Amino acid sequence: MLDMKVLDYRISSDSRQVIVNKVRRNESGEITISEDKDGTKKESVALVGYYGNLSKALVGIQRDYVLSNGKTIQTIEDYKNELETITTTLENKLDLREGF
């Protein structure tokens, strides 16, 4: 079972799929905490997607990061830079080497 955190992304799994969620932040930039009916507090998250394996989940994270990180991308160079930023972060956090 996967239970990883990379930046604002939460990667988990069950026996059939890899699930990627993204934490929600308030206006101050703090992670929003929600409470369920039993009084358990946990991070408030939004679903990014369900994926068949970790490699596909990482591509989903890259896509979400580039399209929704709040920066305006006006050129291919801007897109490339943002994609390199998240790819490098994923490689460093997950200690990935060649093949990513």
Side-chain angles (χ1 to χ4, degrees), residues 84-99:
E84 285 176 356
T85 297
I86 188 61
T87 300
T88 301
T89 301
L90 289 168
E91 288 172 345
N92 292 338
K93 292 284 186 180
L94 299 175
D95 196 26
L96 298 174
R97 299 292 184 239
E98 294 181 24

Side-chain angles (χ1 to χ4, degrees), residues 29-73:
E30 300 168 339
I31 294 174
T32 305
I33 303 297
S34 62
E35 192 172 317
D36 65 15
K37 61 183 176 184
D38 299 327
T40 305
K41 293 183 179 183
K42 60 183 181 177
E43 296 173 334
S44 178
V45 296
L47 179 67
V48 174
Y50 297 100
Y51 303 93
N53 58 50
L54 183 57
S55 294
K56 290 179 181 177
L58 296 176
V59 170
I61 290 171
Q62 289 171 314
R63 181 181 182 277
D64 181 76
Y65 181 86
V66 169
L67 296 178
S68 68
N69 73 354
K71 292 185 179 179
T72 301
I73 297 175

Side-chain angles (χ1 to χ4, degrees), residues 70-88:
K71 292 185 179 179
T72 301
I73 297 175
Q74 297 179 329
T75 67
I76 295 296
E77 187 67 26
D78 292 344
Y79 181 85
K80 179 183 171 231
N81 290 337
E82 291 302 310
L83 189 57
E84 285 176 356
T85 297
I86 188 61
T87 300
T88 301

Side-chain angles (χ1 to χ4, degrees), residues 14-32:
D14 58 27
S15 62
R16 298 174 188 226
Q17 61 200 348
V18 177
I19 305 137
V20 177
N21 288 293
K22 186 175 182 180
V23 294
R24 295 179 182 178
R25 293 190 175 268
N26 61 22
E27 299 81 29
S28 303
E30 300 168 339
I31 294 174
T32 305

